[in-house]
Amino acid sequence: MKSGIHPESYRPVAFRDMSNGDTFISRSTVNARETVDIDGVTYPLVKLEISSSSHPFYTGKQKLVDSAGRVDKFMNRYAKRMEAKK
């Protein structure tokens, strides 16, 4: 491996899946704006839209995870087009 290309500032970071609220701690160099207290220890918090605890491939359940409302916007546009054709 090449020396000097990997960051030295690894630290424990809390990652939270916003679709189901699961939180896990891993080492990372990512910058975080928020913090969270877990078992009396303060960790930087990174919010995720989807993780292995909510992804249909890992859970075996088909569920729609849409935090931005893109599906609702599509359905509204599609409904307007169908009404216009009638």
Side-chain angles (χ1 to χ4, degrees):
M1 273 203 245
K2 289 185 178 180
S3 62
I5 62 170
H6 297 286
E8 299 292 329
S9 60
Y10 283 103
R11 68 195 187 290
V13 176
F15 292 90
R16 179 169 292 157
D17 186 340
M18 299 309 292
S19 63
N20 62 6
D22 284 351
T23 303
F24 60 94
I25 299 171
S26 181
R27 291 182 42 174
S28 179
T29 61
V30 68
N31 293 326
R33 295 182 183 176
E34 297 180 36
T35 59
V36 65
D37 288 332
I38 300 174
D39 297 330
V41 180
T42 302
Y43 297 101
L45 176 65
V46 176
K47 295 180 178 178
L48 305 172
E49 288 189 27
I50 195 163
S51 70
S52 62
S53 65
S54 63
H55 194 279
F57 179 79
Y58 296 104
T59 61
K61 299 177 186 174
Q62 290 294 332
K63 69 176 186 176
L64 181 62
V65 177
D66 182 32
S67 63
R70 292 182 294 259
V71 172
D72 292 331
K73 290 178 186 177
F74 173 79
M75 295 304 281
N76 289 337
R77 282 195 313 251
Y78 185 72
K80 289 177 185 176
R81 286 184 182 176
M82 293 306 290
E83 290 175 4
K85 287 184 179 181
K86 289 181 182 180

